[in-house]
Amino acid sequence: AGGVNCWKESPCQNLYSDMLKRNKGLAPVVLFDLFFFHRSVARNRISQVIDDDQLKILEETGILHVAADDVTSKVRCYPVGGLYFLCDPSRDKPDFVYIGWDSDLMVNIAAKYCKGRRFSRSLDLCTGSGVQGICLSRQAEEAVCADINLRALAMVQANARLNKIRNVATIHSALFSSIPGRFDCISANTPYVPHPEGAQLPI
C-alpha cells in the first residue's frame, strides 16, 4: 500500500504472513520469503508456486540456487515506487549493488518535486540499482543511468527489463566524466560514508 515496510522488524511476522496467505494465496508469502527476506525455502514449498521449468530457467540465469531440499535466491527484490528492483542480498562483494531506506525516500522526494512534469532527458548519477533513474524514466523521453560500477549497470538493465521500461540507457562513468549532452533533470544518491584510501567501494 506504499510507505515504509515494517514487516522485517515486526514481532508479528507470522500473523502478517498468515493474513497475506489467507487473502492472496501461498505465492506472495513464498516469494516474499525467498526474495525479500532472502531465506532458504523448502523445495516442496517452492514447487507449489514455481514449476520445474521456471525453476530451471531461474537457476540457469543465476537468480536462484537450487539444492536437493531447498532453494535460495542470489538476489533480493524490493518494491519501490510501484516497481520491482533487484539488488545484492548482502554487501560481501566489493562491487555490491544495494537498495536501502534512503533509495525509497529519494524516489518519494523526486516524485513530489517532479509531479506533473515531463523531461526530454533525465540523468541518474551514481545510479546503483537504478531505483531513482528508472522511476523517473516514466516522466522522461530518455533516461540515462550512470555509474562507475559495471555490475550496477548490469543490474539497471535487468531492472529496466523486469519493469518493461525501454527508454533507459546506461553509461559507465566516474561522476560526469563520460556523460555527453545536457539534461533537464538530474538525480543523484551518491555514496555518502567515505572509506579510507584504498578501501573497497564506499557506502
Side-chain angles (χ1 to χ4, degrees):
V4 176
N5 191 308
C6 62
W7 188 331
K8 196 169 186 178
E9 287 78 27
S10 172
C12 303
Q13 278 186 27
N14 291 336
L15 172 65
Y16 296 149
S17 180
D18 289 343
M19 288 172 62
L20 182 61
K21 184 177 176 183
R22 197 165 37 254
N23 290 329
K24 301 287 184 181
L26 180 64
V29 176
V30 170
L31 296 175
F32 205 76
D33 280 346
L34 188 65
F35 290 111
F36 186 83
F37 287 124
H38 199 249
R39 293 176 177 151
S40 291
V41 177
R43 185 81 184 262
N44 62 351
R45 199 164 174 238
I46 284 284
S47 65
Q48 296 176 58
V49 175
I50 303 173
D51 68 38
D52 288 343
D53 290 340
Q54 293 170 329
L55 201 62
K56 188 175 181 183
I57 291 168
L58 290 169
E59 183 179 25
E60 288 172 355
T61 56
I63 291 174
L64 295 181
H65 172 72
V66 179
D69 298 328
D70 59 17
V71 177
T72 310
S73 174
K74 294 182 180 181
V75 296
R76 270 203 160 130
C77 185
Y78 285 91
V80 180
L83 301 174
Y84 293 100
F85 292 90
L86 303 176
C87 67
D88 287 320
S90 69
R91 298 178 180 180
D92 59 356
K93 294 183 172 110
D95 55 353
F96 68 87
V97 179
Y98 180 70
I99 294 178
W101 66 270
D102 55 324
S103 302
D104 192 58
L105 180 66
M106 286 280 290
V107 166
N108 292 332
I109 290 170
K112 176 183 172 186
Y113 284 100
C114 299
K115 186 176 181 180
R117 298 184 66 185
R118 291 288 304 166
F119 305 109
S120 175
R121 294 184 83 212
S122 66
L123 169 66
D124 187 34
L125 203 59
C126 304
T127 193
S129 64
V131 169
Q132 278 76 237
I134 290 173
C135 284
L136 281 169
S137 74
R138 296 176 288 187
Q139 295 173 243
E141 297 302 313
E142 178 190 10
V144 175
C145 293
D147 206 296
I148 196 169
N149 181 355
L150 289 170
R151 278 191 78 249
L153 299 179
M155 201 74 80
V156 170
Q157 292 165 2
N159 285 328
R161 285 196 300 271
L162 177 65
N163 291 288
K164 297 183 171 80
I165 293 176
R166 294 179 175 84
N167 63 332
V168 173
T170 55
I171 294 179
H172 183 230
S173 182
L175 298 176
F176 290 101
S177 64
S178 301
I179 299 173
R182 299 173 63 84
F183 299 87
D184 47 3
C185 177
I186 298 175
S187 59
N189 186 6
T190 62
Y192 53 84
V193 180
H195 281 199
E197 188 69 28
Q200 294 177 344
L201 284 178
I203 299 170

